Amino acid sequence: MKKLQLEICCGTTCFMLGADKLLNIENEMPSELRSRADIRAMPCLGLCNDTKLAGAPYVKLNGEIIEKATPEKIYEKMRALIAAWE
C-alpha cells in the first residue's frame, strides 16, 4: 500500500503559529487515513521568510505545500490524493 508522506514544519514561526497543535495529528486522524500516512516532524522546511510568515504553519504532503495548515485541510488533501491513486 502506497503511503502519503506528511512533513510538519516545527520551525519557530510555524510552531508558534499552530504547528504545535498539528503534532498530535496522528492520534486524532481518522483511522482510514492514519494507516496511509507516514508522519514526520521536521525542524524547519525553510518555507517562510519575511514575506511568507502569514502562511505558517506549513506542511508538506507528498511534496505539495499546504499553507495555514489545519487538520481539516490536511485530511481533505489526503483524501483527494488517495482517491487519485485508486
Side-chain angles (χ1 to χ4, degrees):
M1 169 176 36
K2 199 171 181 182
K3 285 206 170 201
L4 296 163
Q5 301 300 311
L6 178 62
E7 299 174 309
I8 301 169
C9 183
C10 291
T12 303
T13 301
C14 287
F15 191 83
M16 297 297 289
L17 294 176
D20 61 321
K21 295 167 187 68
L22 297 175
L23 294 176
N24 291 323
I25 196 167
E26 187 171 17
N27 298 326
E28 300 165 1
M29 189 176 286
S31 60
E32 77 273 7
L33 298 177
R34 188 178 312 127
S35 64
R36 302 290 300 261
D38 179 23
I39 303 167
R40 291 182 284 161
M42 305 299 287
C44 182
L45 295 175
L47 297 171
C48 64
N49 58 35
D50 292 338
T51 61
K52 293 186 177 183
L53 293 177
Y58 288 96
V59 167
K60 276 190 182 179
L61 182 60
N62 279 19
E64 187 173 326
I65 298 165
I66 300 173
E67 294 182 357
K68 297 183 183 179
T70 63
E72 294 76 23
K73 280 185 177 181
I74 294 168
Y75 302 156
E76 180 180 330
K77 188 63 180 171
M78 289 176 76
R79 286 184 178 104
L81 288 171
I82 291 168
W85 291 345
E86 297 174 348

